[in-house]
Amino acid sequence: MSVQIEDSEVDIVIAALHPNLTPFLEAWRPFFSRFHIIVVKDPELDSELQIAPGFDLKIYTKSDIEAVAKSSSINFSGHSCRYFGYLVSRKKYVISIDQDSLPAKDPSGLVTDAVAQHITNLATPATPFFFNTLYDPFRPGADFVRGYPFSMRCGVPCVLSCGLWLNVADYDALTQSVKPNERNTRYVDAVMTVPVGAMMPTSGINIAFDRLALGPALLPGVHFTGEGKRRWETLEDIWSGLCAKVVSDHLGFGVKTGLPYVHREGDGTKPHGSLNKESEKVKLLDDALPFFQSVKISRNATSAIDCVAELSGMVREKLGAVSPVFGSAANAMDEWVNLWKSVGAQAE
């Protein structure tokens, strides 16, 4: 069931939250130069972008977002600007890596190609319905273990690849406040499929997905007033990941996590000032999780966009009374569906 993914089928989407993209692009040049790149400038960023030459690259700015989104109330600022790149992409696959992340080295000191690993994860089947204790059976040197049902060994299409990070781990503000100097140095050479029905925190730092199969489910939904530009100040990718996992499970697809790694740089900022605000987010996430664990999408929903349209109504009904944040998320999901139908679906 493995598929062949051509370079021409891939977009790399970068959210530009800081003006100088040159060091980032130069570090990734050996791995990005074969692909088309979409750079979405944070609409709240006033400075001109500094872009290294020699890339097949398209830049989208505030004026582009306003022209496409028009009267939409979706907030595309901060990390959420990358979703605009997902919307306007015309490729089957999208890879997105944060601006503060560089190519990682494996334990032998070799620089790893995160792009190639993401493509491999998406090109080979996932196995969400029965866990293989030797992890991804489609990796070189691995296979299905004894007792794995032969009827399930073909697997299903992998539509989402969630990579990890070395150095600065993607912790929330509460965890970072008690472990300010902790760094992740463990490089685990493994890829695994997340079982059907299991929820997971999807970090937007280092991901790839099948845009045609899952694209509408990667969405900008949850946004907090006064939200900053640091990952630990947001939940947009966590909410998006929960939606994407529910949709993937419903449609019979698979999600992988593990390799590839990126090396994530920190800016030295301490999260102490936002702990009260973070506590509110933790409570809201705890309130939302049972919904995602139990929600059932109808059989009438046969595509990702159908699923999101149905899911938004259930979010409004089940979570709207819990917090206005969820009511706003449901509204954003409705608007995202409309935008995808008018703009995003042009590539399909």
Side-chain angles (χ1 to χ4, degrees):
M1 262 189 78
S2 296
V3 297
Q4 181 69 34
I5 298 178
E6 304 293 338
D7 293 354
S8 59
E9 296 180 286
V10 178
D11 261 338
I12 295 174
V13 173
I14 307 301
L17 274 61
H18 307 287
N20 189 5
L21 273 172
T22 296
F24 170 83
L25 289 172
E26 289 296 354
W28 285 100
R29 185 181 291 276
F31 313 115
F32 283 5
S33 58
R34 308 194 320 272
F35 302 95
H36 180 256
I37 300 172
I38 291 175
V39 173
V40 185
K41 182 182 178 183
D42 180 359
E44 296 181 352
L45 180 64
D46 294 326
S47 303
E48 290 295 320
L49 294 182
Q50 301 171 41
I51 303 287
F55 291 94
D56 178 14
L57 187 144
K58 170 69 174 177
I59 300 172
Y60 292 89
T61 64
K62 181 178 180 179
S63 61
D64 298 309
I65 294 173
E66 290 174 343
V68 171
K70 296 178 181 176
S71 60
S72 172
S73 64
I74 294 176
N75 192 323
F76 285 107
S77 66
H79 288 288
S80 291
C81 70
R82 68 197 176 102
Y83 295 102
F84 185 80
Y86 302 169
L87 179 70
V88 298
S89 171
R90 295 295 174 260
K91 303 297 178 70
K92 179 173 172 56
Y93 301 96
V94 167
I95 297 171
S96 185
I97 295 175
D98 273 6
Q99 187 181 355
D100 65 353
S101 300
L102 302 176
K105 293 182 179 179
D106 66 18
S108 69
L110 294 177
V111 177
T112 60
D113 185 347
V115 175
Q117 183 64 55
H118 274 308
I119 289 174
T120 297
N121 290 349
L122 293 172
T124 53
T127 53
F129 302 109
F130 201 92
F131 187 77
N132 190 52
T133 51
L134 202 55
Y135 307 122
D136 188 344
F138 296 96
R139 292 195 70 204
D143 211 322
F144 292 98
V145 298
R146 180 172 57 89
Y148 199 99
F150 276 86
S151 61
M152 295 183 176
R153 295 191 179 193
C154 287
V156 299
C158 176
V159 294
L160 179 60
S161 169
C162 303
L164 298 173
W165 356 259
L166 294 174
N167 195 37
V168 178
D170 191 16
Y171 291 151
D172 53 63
L174 300 176
T175 304
Q176 287 195 55
S177 68
V178 297
K179 296 182 174 181
N181 299 315
E182 182 166 293
R183 296 293 181 266
N184 180 34
T185 59
R186 297 178 64 242
Y187 184 103
V188 181
D189 187 12
V191 178
M192 65 183 72
T193 296
V194 182
V196 65
M199 295 297 101
M200 56 179 281
T202 301
S203 169
I205 292 170
N206 171 26
I207 65 168
F209 58 94
D210 183 329
R211 184 184 173 279
L212 297 190
L214 192 66
L218 276 296
L219 51 88
V222 169
H223 194 91
F224 293 88
T225 302
E227 191 172 277
K229 309 294 185 182
R230 300 176 182 87
R231 277 293 179 191
W232 42 262
E233 295 179 307
T234 72
L235 281 180
E236 48 82 17
D237 52 347
I238 305 301
W239 178 269
S240 174
L242 291 171
C243 294
K245 185 59 167 62
V246 166
V247 171
S248 176
D249 286 353
H250 172 76
L251 296 175
F253 297 137
V255 174
K256 293 181 183 179
T257 186
L259 299 178
Y261 281 86
V262 295
H263 182 93
R264 191 161 172 252
E265 300 289 340
D267 62 4
T269 304
K270 305 299 182 185
H272 302 290
S274 65
L275 292 187
N276 289 336
K277 192 163 50 176
E278 187 70 15
S279 297
E280 175 195 356
K281 296 175 188 175
V282 170
K283 174 65 167 59
L284 286 174
L285 189 59
D286 285 348
D287 289 338
L289 186 56
F291 165 79
F292 284 103
Q293 290 174 317
S294 61
V295 68
K296 301 295 182 185
I297 298 173
S298 74
R299 293 183 179 180
N300 294 329
T302 58
S303 67
I305 201 162
D306 292 341
C307 293
V308 174
E310 192 171 304
L311 195 58
S312 68
M314 291 187 280
V315 167
R316 186 177 291 106
E317 177 186 355
K318 301 295 185 182
L319 295 175
V322 176
S323 168
V325 169
F326 296 131
S328 297
N331 293 337
M333 292 167 73
D334 286 338
E335 293 187 29
W336 181 249
V337 167
N338 292 333
L339 271 178
W340 199 275
K341 286 180 178 178
S342 62
V343 179
Q346 294 177 15
E348 302 173 14

